[in-house]
Amino acid sequence: MLRHLARKLRASGPVTVAEYMREALTNPGQGYYTRRGGVGESGDFITSPEISQVFGELIGIWYISEWMAMGKPSTLQLVELGPGRGTLTEDILRVFKQLASVLSKCDVSVHLVEVSPKLSEIQAVTLTGGKVQPNPEDKSAYMEGISKNGIPIFWYSNIQDVPPGYSFYLAHEFFDALPIHKFQRTEKGWREVLVDIDPEVPDQLRFVLSPSRTPATQNFIQPEETRDHVEVCPEAGVIVQRLASRIEKDGGAALVADYGHDGTKTDTFRGFRNHKLHDVLSAPGTADLTADVDFSYLRKMAQGRTATLGPIKQREFLKNMGIDLRLQVLLQNSGDTATRQQLLHSYDMLMNPEKMGDCFNFFALLPHHRLVHPDKKDKSKSPSPPVAGFNELLLK
């Protein structure tokens, strides 16, 4: 990968950080996700669903509580972007199965948006036991199968291929891996940070500043920007626009869970390899590259088509969803000390402010009518129930 990039840089000069990330992560031959996709204990990073089933179960409950608040539509598409190993969808489907009586009149299907062939194979094993069939090229889904409890599952390489309809979207640690542009304020105005070959050291990369403004500096820097260093992820903006227009048209909701900030942080671009921080420019293609999600940018990109809630810290969201009660039940039902310790350890990982509790946030897109409180005079309409997670879950 380094040889490939070095050739490219010598031939045509420095590239944007976005282009560097795209090559390092998704290059068909040597990209990190296409080749490895290191999720889990043995990979390069661990995600919340890999730590504890409770995480996914509470998200499943969030979807059911929203489905009920929106009047129990007769069909429901669960659409996950970048589903990892399929653990989160598996946990959500477990909840759907436990609450089958509630969903009995609803036609549920699962739609996974996944670019990595390797990860889609793992997801197929997790969710269907490997019982899947590839589809001909003219079909929008490249693969389909049936979950262990009979729910149809489809795989797509792009969100635009997912059929329209009432849908719940889920993006857990998805936006943080999308390519970002980096900008630096200088005395001469904004300049873009680029990646180039280091003339002093053979086969080493370095950051340089663009000599003048680039198209990206003109398009992505807001005039009111006060920070001196800014990261922008245009691809995230495009995806949020698509989600918002789908929700506006067909109904549903989107839940985004990721580490990020509300327009306050500056330089968050980093690499992970074997669970340790790794220099982003060394050995490209062998480490996960990531940057914090700027939720203020996502909110802006929804362009008012939907209402937005959050970001709210993961520990507050999970607490509102009843994680403490769920933990007590699991502890009472677990027979051995090892399981109990594992449960307490996972709970600590998810909730401890020093671990994932504070750095992960939840953010939601919902139809405007979901948050409308009818005026006091009009007694015929009952007020919408509060949105769970962002408020306390009311268990009826």
Side-chain angles (χ1 to χ4, degrees):
M1 173 58 92
L2 183 60
R3 276 200 305 276
H4 159 73
L5 277 164
R7 270 200 304 272
K8 189 171 170 168
L9 295 169
R10 280 193 203 96
S12 50
V15 295
T16 63
V17 173
E19 202 174 332
Y20 171 73
M21 271 182 92
R22 202 171 285 119
E23 282 287 334
L25 294 176
T26 56
N27 173 294
Q30 291 297 316
Y32 174 78
Y33 286 128
T34 28
R35 219 165 40 112
R36 314 182 34 197
V39 185
E41 291 283 353
S42 60
D44 296 307
F45 54 93
I46 302 181
T47 66
S48 304
E50 302 291 323
I51 290 167
S52 166
Q53 67 177 66
V54 178
F55 182 84
E57 291 173 348
L58 295 177
I59 287 180
I61 290 175
W62 190 85
Y63 284 128
I64 288 184
S65 111
E66 276 309 295
W67 173 77
M68 290 167 79
M70 294 183 196
K72 304 186 179 175
S74 59
T75 58
L76 187 170
Q77 298 191 143
L78 176 64
V79 183
E80 189 178 359
L81 310 180
R85 304 173 74 86
T87 316
L88 189 47
T89 291
E90 182 183 32
D91 293 339
I92 292 170
L93 290 181
R94 187 184 317 111
V95 171
F96 284 10
K97 185 184 173 190
Q98 284 160 345
L99 295 174
S101 57
V102 179
L103 288 163
S104 61
K105 294 190 175 66
C106 182
D107 185 8
V108 178
S109 55
V110 171
H111 304 261
L112 305 177
V113 180
E114 178 57 77
V115 291
S116 160
K118 189 166 178 192
L119 284 174
S120 62
E121 276 170 37
I122 296 173
Q123 293 151 14
V125 171
T126 306
L127 296 168
T128 71
K131 296 188 198 60
V132 286
Q133 59 191 57
N135 277 341
E137 299 230 330
D138 57 347
K139 278 246 182 119
S140 56
Y142 62 79
M143 183 165 79
E144 60 184 77
I146 297 214
S147 84
K148 292 165 188 169
N149 47 350
I151 290 174
I153 306 185
F154 303 87
W155 278 264
Y156 311 83
S157 37
N158 200 308
I159 186 163
Q160 285 130 292
D161 297 334
V162 177
Y166 183 88
S167 301
F168 283 137
Y169 300 93
L170 178 56
H172 177 268
E173 285 196 57
F174 170 75
F175 285 110
D176 64 64
L178 297 178
I180 54 156
H181 288 267
K182 283 173 82 68
F183 305 101
Q184 179 70 43
R185 195 194 292 273
T186 70
E187 289 159 7
K188 295 177 183 148
W190 285 98
R191 294 291 180 263
E192 184 162 3
V193 177
L194 304 172
V195 174
D196 198 5
I197 200 101
D198 191 328
E200 308 292 308
V201 191
D203 284 342
Q204 194 167 312
L205 304 174
R206 60 168 186 164
F207 287 121
V208 295
L209 285 181
S210 62
S212 55
R213 296 182 65 152
T214 62
T217 35
Q218 277 145 331
N219 290 328
F220 301 130
I221 297 285
Q222 308 295 328
E224 67 275 16
E225 186 55 69
T226 55
R227 291 169 288 177
D228 288 334
H229 190 101
V230 177
E231 294 169 335
V232 180
C233 179
E235 231 171 283
V238 170
I239 289 169
V240 165
Q241 284 176 343
R242 288 198 180 123
L243 294 177
S245 61
R246 280 171 167 251
I247 292 166
E248 181 184 40
K249 195 159 127 263
D250 303 317
L255 193 59
V256 177
D258 224 315
Y259 38 87
H261 56 90
D262 211 6
T264 50
K265 287 194 182 172
T266 54
D267 178 19
T268 70
F269 183 37
R270 55 200 184 281
F272 285 97
R273 187 171 168 185
N274 301 328
H275 306 287
K276 292 190 179 63
L277 278 169
H278 173 86
D279 174 9
V280 287
L281 295 181
S282 78
T286 66
D288 182 36
L289 302 180
T290 170
D292 280 18
V293 176
D294 181 345
F295 291 104
S296 68
Y297 177 68
L298 300 191
R299 192 182 300 112
K300 203 172 280 154
M301 295 314 281
Q303 296 169 321
R305 287 181 184 149
T306 58
T308 61
L309 287 176
I312 176 176
K313 291 184 166 69
Q314 173 166 299
R315 67 187 162 91
E316 293 172 35
F317 182 90
L318 296 177
K319 201 170 197 62
N320 283 338
M321 288 304 299
I323 189 170
D324 295 333
L325 189 66
R326 183 73 185 123
L327 177 73
Q328 293 313 319
V329 172
L330 288 171
L331 286 172
Q332 281 159 10
N333 295 346
S334 60
D336 60 304
T337 323
T339 311
R340 280 212 271 293
Q341 293 208 292
Q342 179 55 43
L343 280 166
L344 290 165
H345 169 73
S346 327
Y347 176 88
D348 182 60
M349 271 305 272
L350 293 173
M351 298 294 283
N352 187 329
E354 304 291 304
K355 293 176 183 166
M356 288 176 159
D358 270 6
C359 61
F360 274 80
N361 292 279
F362 278 76
F363 176 82
L365 303 175
L366 295 151
H368 285 293
H369 63 76
R370 173 65 183 92
L371 298 180
V372 170
H373 299 295
D375 53 47
K376 305 266 189 308
K377 294 186 220 65
D378 185 359
K379 292 280 188 282
S380 63
K381 289 185 180 158
S382 56
S384 324
V387 178
F390 298 89
N391 305 273
E392 214 167 313
L393 173 70
L394 302 173
L395 288 168
K396 291 283 187 289

